[in-house]
Amino acid sequence: MEQNFTYYLVLLVLIIIGFIVVKKVASCMIKSVVTIILAVIAAALYWLYLR
């Protein structure tokens, strides 16, 4: 139970940081790169901790 809570907490922090970064950056390409990086990090966390 605690692992799931930790995973969701880290995922929420990543989403918040992602929104802040995307709001500051004007380029669509960089927004896409940030989104892809966050998705990869979230998938890696899921694979390592909840698999």
Side-chain angles (χ1 to χ4, degrees), residues 21-40:
V21 168
V22 168
K23 285 174 72 175
K24 302 267 183 201
V25 177
S27 173
C28 187
M29 183 66 173
I30 293 184
K31 288 180 186 180
S32 299
V33 170
V34 169
T35 304
I36 291 170
I37 289 172
L38 288 175
V40 168

Side-chain angles (χ1 to χ4, degrees), residues 1-11 45 49-50:
M1 176 84 174
E2 187 175 318
Q3 286 181 340
N4 289 342
F5 180 72
T6 304
Y7 170 72
Y8 290 122
L9 184 65
V10 169
L11 188 59
L45 287 173
Y49 293 111
L50 296 177

